[in-house]
Amino acid sequence: MRKPIIIGNWKMNMQIADGLVFLNDLEKESYNIDVGIACQAISLIPMKEQAKKVLIGAQNTNDELNGAYTGELSVDLLKEAELDFCLVGHSERRQYYNESDETVNKKIKLLLEKQITPVVCVGESLEQYENKQTKEVIEKQIELALQDVDVKNCVIAYEPIWAIGTGKTATPEIAQSVCRLIRKKIASLTSVEIANKVRIQYGGSVNPENIKELMACEDIDGALVGGASLKINDFKKLISY
Ligand code: 13P
């Protein structure tokens, strides 16, 4: 039985004080799923210090341990801040900062060494989706990202780029079929037993109205939520789907 995991990705939004108020509100309730927030770097320490139940994670880290990489954030500091997880390979990072499958793979390995859960994001573009390349693109991203990686300690997030921030959610059928494909690919790289343990999230215009249907899908174990995680009432509705 896989424990559901819903993570709010605040991206480059939310001031520190507002984030702490939000977290305080979130912590008033109890959940039988994992709930997480990925916030901006400067908010990570106060958020983690205040969090009792909610998992706190970074949105990115560097693929080197330390050195002359101005402006970057090391896995060692994430560890020192006792963070629970870190997003890796979000499509916005792949798209705007040229992140490759190779750097994604390096980051995952560094995070696992420090016992921080990598939330590995994969997803195809609109063009690839329309050209029916989804299977090929996703399988390749999974294979390269997870090379020599202990995948049972990772969370995978399937986020079709065409559904991010566009209001166009993948139908539960599409989301389920790609999440199924990801699980099959992981099984072929490891074993069915391991693949059945890995939690796979869907992300892309998830909201309080569509969460229930998505979470009812066999291979969807959670959600990675952008816009709807910025409003406390929406996010609370989401996590109590
Ligand atoms: P939206 O929920 O705003 O579409 O964003 C999804 C996302 O990118 C989460 O990482």
Side-chain angles (χ1 to χ4, degrees):
M1 189 65 186
R2 298 181 295 265
K3 191 175 186 188
I5 177 165
I6 296 184
I7 294 177
N9 174 12
W10 284 351
K11 307 193 179 183
M12 205 170 72
N13 300 295
M14 198 69 87
Q15 299 293 107
I16 300 176
D18 295 340
L20 293 174
V21 171
F22 189 115
L23 179 62
N24 188 44
D25 207 341
L26 211 53
E27 293 256 329
K28 283 182 189 150
E29 294 177 27
S30 23
Y31 317 103
N32 46 14
I33 65 166
D34 283 337
V35 174
I37 295 286
C39 58
Q40 295 185 72
I42 289 182
S43 299
L44 287 168
I45 291 176
M47 287 284 285
K48 183 60 197 172
E49 281 174 354
Q50 188 178 295
K52 292 193 180 63
K53 296 176 258 182
V54 175
L55 307 173
I56 303 295
Q59 298 174 5
N60 183 36
T61 187
N62 195 264
D63 61 316
E64 295 291 337
L65 262 187
N66 50 46
Y69 302 100
T70 302
E72 290 297 296
L73 186 60
S74 73
V75 169
D76 273 338
L77 276 197
L78 303 188
K79 182 69 187 170
E80 202 175 339
E82 299 178 7
L83 298 184
D84 303 292
F85 68 90
C86 179
L87 306 186
V88 184
H90 191 280
S91 62
E92 285 149 18
R93 298 227 41 103
R94 293 180 190 254
Q95 203 176 341
Y96 307 138
Y97 304 98
N98 299 322
E99 239 173 66
S100 66
D101 291 311
E102 288 70 29
T103 57
V104 166
N105 176 253
K106 279 177 76 183
K107 291 178 188 195
I108 297 170
K109 286 178 180 160
L110 289 181
L111 286 162
L112 287 174
E113 268 173 37
K114 305 284 173 186
Q115 290 90 42
I116 299 169
T117 304
V119 177
V120 183
C121 306
V122 296
E124 80 285 14
S125 67
L126 179 61
E127 194 186 352
Q128 291 163 336
Y129 172 69
E130 286 176 347
N131 290 334
K132 307 207 181 314
Q133 292 171 311
T134 303
K135 182 173 189 291
E136 173 191 337
V137 170
I138 300 295
E139 285 189 341
K140 185 158 172 258
Q141 285 178 343
I142 288 289
E143 190 167 345
L144 295 175
L146 300 183
Q147 218 158 43
D148 304 319
V149 160
D150 189 3
V151 60
K152 69 176 183 301
N153 294 322
C154 298
V155 171
I156 311 293
Y158 167 55
E159 296 204 305
I161 299 170
W162 49 269
I164 296 178
T166 57
K168 277 190 210 164
T169 327
T171 61
E173 292 72 32
I174 296 175
Q176 160 59 24
S177 78
V178 181
C179 290
R180 177 90 205 127
L181 175 90
I182 291 171
R183 199 174 303 286
K184 275 193 176 163
K185 184 67 190 173
I186 294 172
S188 79
L189 296 170
T190 58
S191 67
V192 172
E193 198 195 345
I194 290 177
N196 283 339
K197 287 191 177 136
V198 176
R199 293 184 292 177
I200 305 177
Q201 299 175 306
Y202 166 78
S205 298
V206 175
N207 61 45
E209 282 71 50
N210 59 26
I211 184 80
K212 206 168 168 178
E213 264 191 310
L214 289 163
M215 293 301 290
C217 298
E218 196 183 332
D219 287 286
I220 300 180
D221 309 308
L224 187 54
V225 187
S229 74
L230 292 168
K231 295 189 198 123
I232 185 70
N233 289 335
D234 280 358
F235 196 57
K236 276 196 196 160
K237 276 188 211 155
L238 274 173
I239 57 185
S240 55
Y241 66 92

